Amino acid sequence: MSTSQLLDELKTLTQAHIKYAENLLKETDEKLNSRISDGSWSVLECLEHLNRYGDFYIPEITQRISSSKTSPANAFKPGLLGNYFAKSMLPKDKLNKMKTLKSMDPINSQLDKSVVEKFIRQQSQFLDLLEKAVSVDLNTIKTSVSISKLIKIKLGDTFRFVIYHNDRHILQAERVFEYSLIGEIVAKRDQ
């Protein structure tokens, strides 16, 4: 695929994630902390999970881009491992559950809308990084991954993985939020 096509697709997804999060700022902390079940995540826990990944990937990508001496390539060819990671994050009709690292699991955290504000800031940073990525080679720059600094994947795959992962959990947050709205309607009806 062309590099510009990939970066444009990822920018569009990131902009949609920002817009979604900005709308969440209008909601109460109580609504954003409600869950479908005890073991599920709330909307804020979904975003906190993504913030924790952003805490790793933003500095990692920033450092790799700023120290790069590469010239941009016209096309991006996914790597074997990076493509696997990225595709595993793509949302499906029925989301397959995945285990998360303990350090990335926000369940039962005390959260408020500052999580949403941080998510918006991080997504803006990703947009800036996607802009900077136009001037480097997404094929030759490699970044570490959060599960092990020893594993490295192409920068293009790292962007795909992170942004598809964001998309996956935004969809999860949307489902949780819809469920809480249905719960409110039922509770009002039963009063």
Side-chain angles (χ1 to χ4, degrees):
M1 75 180 76
S2 88
T3 300
S4 62
Q5 183 182 17
L6 172 65
L7 293 173
D8 287 346
E9 172 200 330
L10 297 175
K11 286 177 199 171
T12 299
L13 279 171
T14 303
Q15 289 163 341
H17 299 157
I18 291 170
K19 189 173 199 126
Y20 173 75
E22 287 172 343
N23 286 327
L24 293 177
L25 291 172
K26 301 171 192 165
E27 304 299 334
T28 64
D29 285 350
E30 180 185 9
K31 193 179 287 186
L32 297 176
N33 273 303
S34 67
R35 295 195 183 113
I36 293 173
S37 67
D38 286 343
S40 69
W41 287 350
S42 68
V43 170
L44 289 179
E45 287 168 334
C46 289
L47 294 185
E48 174 61 17
H49 172 70
L50 297 178
N51 287 345
R52 292 177 186 193
Y53 274 93
D55 288 342
F56 175 82
Y57 283 104
I58 290 169
E60 175 68 11
I61 293 169
T62 300
Q63 191 274 324
R64 301 298 177 169
I65 289 175
S66 65
S67 65
S68 173
K69 307 274 189 267
T70 64
S71 297
N74 290 331
F76 173 70
K77 185 177 185 324
L80 193 63
L81 186 60
N83 195 43
Y84 170 78
F85 285 156
K87 283 187 167 187
S88 71
M89 288 300 120
L90 282 171
K92 299 165 186 66
D93 288 338
K94 184 175 179 347
L95 281 182
N96 52 325
K97 282 196 165 206
M98 295 182 159
K99 271 280 198 210
T100 191
L101 298 171
K102 190 171 178 58
S103 62
M104 299 297 186
D105 189 346
I107 193 117
N108 297 322
S109 300
Q110 293 295 101
L111 303 172
D112 58 32
K113 276 191 254 186
S114 65
V115 169
V116 180
E117 292 162 351
K118 180 177 180 177
F119 178 77
I120 293 167
R121 282 192 308 274
Q122 284 191 348
Q123 297 316 296
S124 294
Q125 288 175 288
F126 276 116
L127 283 177
D128 290 342
L129 290 169
L130 288 165
E131 277 302 319
K132 290 177 180 166
V134 170
S135 61
V136 298
D137 187 345
L138 302 182
N139 294 295
T140 57
I141 297 174
K142 304 274 197 279
T143 65
S144 296
V145 297
S146 57
I147 57 173
S148 171
K149 291 203 179 232
L150 300 174
I151 300 172
K152 296 199 181 330
I153 61 175
K154 294 179 179 187
L155 176 58
D157 287 327
T158 302
F159 276 126
R160 290 171 63 226
F161 166 78
V162 171
I163 294 167
Y164 294 166
H165 181 242
N166 288 350
D167 207 40
R168 174 187 189 85
H169 287 291
I170 292 290
L171 287 172
Q172 179 186 6
E174 286 174 345
R175 288 182 184 133
V176 171
F177 190 76
E178 286 171 16
Y179 182 83
S180 73
L181 289 177
I182 292 167
E184 275 183 26
I185 292 167
V186 169
K188 286 179 183 173
R189 186 194 67 202
D190 292 344
Q191 286 178 351

